[in-house]
């Protein structure tokens, strides 16, 4: 009797555990997000991948061409030129943007006057519409009436045609992107800085570490999780740049600012070659995926999440 009495509750708890294991409640909570990922991320990628095997001009029926678009891609020098321009654009934006954002975060993490106002002020450019910002900066860079060249003229310097010279157009657009996104990136660094325990700085100071040594030996290593997130998301965004370039230069002059996303737009909506545009999209997707995997591998062994 005693054995029977002790076995029954064990069986009952086991059945309750199985019921909890097969509960649908977690799936109901995850369902909306999962639907969004499948419907707006995975499914479009699969559709674009399938479309890359077709020749489609939108008004006619798609024609299956197999690997024809990929063979065309291998011999298309303009695509590889656009990919190179994109890499140069990313190299111009990300290092400068990251350094400036980190510097601003360190400065605005101090106890200074109007610090909350300054934090909000630096984020305002990111909140504006890229197309509108592009139009405003096109006027600022205007060679005759632009604010920059007028200031240079006051100093007796003849300003160049910023957006009409191939050597200056891409750096100008990159600077606008850095100006727009630095404040947003600063917020993540600021959150990371505020998550570092003050005791670590106090211990380093007691050991005789200078402010510079505390920054390099304490702050930067413990900001690796934030740095990882920032670099991954900013690199993905820079590789997908389009709005500002479209409104400022329209890919010119002489396609010197025709980054990969602009090339895809041009092939799809000006040449109406949607199959080939899908092929270019797959190439850009693979490049971003490769760069992201390299970052994951680089930061994986250098990132500490537990500060306890």
């Amino acid at each position: 009797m005693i054995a029977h009495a002790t076995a029954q509750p064990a069986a009952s708890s086991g059945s309750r555990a199985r019921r909890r294991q097969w509960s649908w409640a977690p799936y109901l909570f995850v369902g909306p997000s999962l639907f969004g990922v499948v419907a707006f991320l995975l499914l479009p990628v699969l559709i674009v991948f399938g479309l890359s095997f077709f020749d489609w001009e939108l008004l006619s029926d798609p024609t299956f061409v197999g690997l024809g678009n990929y063979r065309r891609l291998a011999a298309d020098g303009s695509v590889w030129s656009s990919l190179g321009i994109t890499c140069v654009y990313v190299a111009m934006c990300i290092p400068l943007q990251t350094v400036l954002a980190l510097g601003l975060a360190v400065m605005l993490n101090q106890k200074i006057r109007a610090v909350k106002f300054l934090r909000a002020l630096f984020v305002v450019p990111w909140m504006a519409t890229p197309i509108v910002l592009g139009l405003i900066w096109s006027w600022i860079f205007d060679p005759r009436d632009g604010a920059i060249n007028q200031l240079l003229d006051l100093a007796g310097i003849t300003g160049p045609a910023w957006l009409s010279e191939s050597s200056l157009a891409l750096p100008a657009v990159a600077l606008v992107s850095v100006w727009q996104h630095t404040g947003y990136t600063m917020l993540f660094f600021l959150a990371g800085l505020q998550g570092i325990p003050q005791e670590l700085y106090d211990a380093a100071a007691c050991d005789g570490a200078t402010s510079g040594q505390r920054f390099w030996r304490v702050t930067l290593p413990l900001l690796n999780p934030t740095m990882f997130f920032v670099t991954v998301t900013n690199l993905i965004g820079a590789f997908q740049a389009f709005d500002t370039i479209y409104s400022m230069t329209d890919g010119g002059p002489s396609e010197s600012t025709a980054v990969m996303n602009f090339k895809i737009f041009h092939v799809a909506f000006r040449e109406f070659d949607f199959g080939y545009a899908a092929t270019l999209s797959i190439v850009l997707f693979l490049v971003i995926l490769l760069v992201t995997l390299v970052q994951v591998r680089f930061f994986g062994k250098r990132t500490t999440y537990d500060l306890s």
Side-chain angles (χ1 to χ4, degrees):
M1 293 295 293
I2 296 176
H4 177 73
T6 55
Q8 186 66 26
S12 177
S13 66
S15 63
R16 286 197 300 269
R18 284 193 295 272
R19 285 197 299 271
R20 286 198 299 270
Q21 182 179 0
W22 292 100
S23 174
W24 285 97
Y27 298 98
L28 294 177
F29 285 103
V30 175
S33 297
L34 185 61
F35 172 79
V37 170
V38 173
F40 301 109
L41 181 62
L42 297 181
L43 187 59
V45 170
L46 293 176
I47 292 174
V48 170
F49 180 71
L51 187 59
S52 67
F53 297 100
F54 288 84
D55 182 14
W56 187 36
E57 297 178 356
L58 190 62
L59 299 179
S60 60
D61 294 332
T63 303
F64 182 75
V65 294
L67 297 176
N69 286 327
Y70 291 92
R71 286 192 291 267
R72 175 184 171 187
L73 170 67
D76 192 346
S78 64
V79 172
W80 302 112
S81 175
S82 291
L83 186 58
I85 292 172
T86 305
C87 292
V88 172
Y89 175 82
V90 171
M92 288 179 177
C93 291
I94 300 304
L96 180 59
Q97 177 179 315
T98 304
V99 171
L100 289 177
L102 180 58
L104 284 175
V106 172
M107 180 183 71
L108 296 180
N109 195 38
Q110 310 299 320
K111 295 180 179 180
I112 58 177
R113 295 182 60 183
V115 65
K116 294 183 179 179
F117 171 76
L118 291 175
R119 291 173 183 174
L121 182 65
F122 283 114
V123 182
V124 169
W126 176 79
M127 300 171 62
T129 306
I131 293 291
V132 175
L133 289 180
L135 294 175
I136 293 174
W137 277 97
S138 296
W139 170 78
I140 293 175
F141 281 116
D142 186 86
R144 287 194 310 171
D145 303 322
I148 294 178
N149 279 6
Q150 287 190 2
L151 290 175
L152 292 176
D153 187 60
L154 293 176
I157 301 173
T158 302
W162 298 95
L163 302 180
S164 300
E165 296 185 13
S166 300
S167 59
L168 296 177
L170 190 64
V173 174
L175 284 176
V176 173
S177 178
V178 170
W179 172 82
Q180 181 182 3
H181 295 97
T182 294
Y184 178 69
T185 305
M186 174 205 70
L187 290 180
F188 294 100
F189 281 125
L190 188 60
L193 287 171
Q194 293 179 351
I196 300 176
Q198 181 62 36
E199 293 80 1
L200 298 177
Y201 292 110
D202 296 338
C206 289
D207 290 338
T210 63
S211 58
Q213 289 173 331
R214 291 196 296 270
F215 176 78
W216 289 103
R217 300 295 179 87
V218 178
T219 303
L220 278 186
L222 295 180
L223 277 180
N224 266 345
T226 306
M227 187 72 71
F228 174 45
F229 174 81
V230 162
T231 53
V232 168
T233 54
N234 284 347
L235 274 168
I236 292 174
F239 270 106
Q240 296 177 332
F242 172 76
D243 309 56
T244 306
I245 293 173
Y246 175 75
S247 59
M248 288 185 66
T249 64
D250 197 30
S254 303
E255 297 190 348
S256 61
T257 59
V259 295
M260 198 66 174
N261 239 10
F262 184 85
K263 181 69 175 179
I264 294 170
F265 164 80
H266 182 84
V267 171
F269 297 102
R270 292 180 179 175
E271 299 179 3
F272 296 100
D273 193 347
F274 287 88
Y276 191 50
T279 306
L280 302 186
S281 300
I282 293 298
V283 171
L284 181 59
F285 171 78
L286 292 176
V287 170
I288 294 174
L289 178 62
L290 177 61
V291 172
T292 302
L293 291 176
V294 170
Q295 292 180 69
V296 170
R297 186 174 182 84
F298 176 80
F299 282 99
K301 299 179 181 180
R302 296 171 173 82
T303 302
T304 300
Y305 294 96
D306 186 7
L307 299 182
S308 59

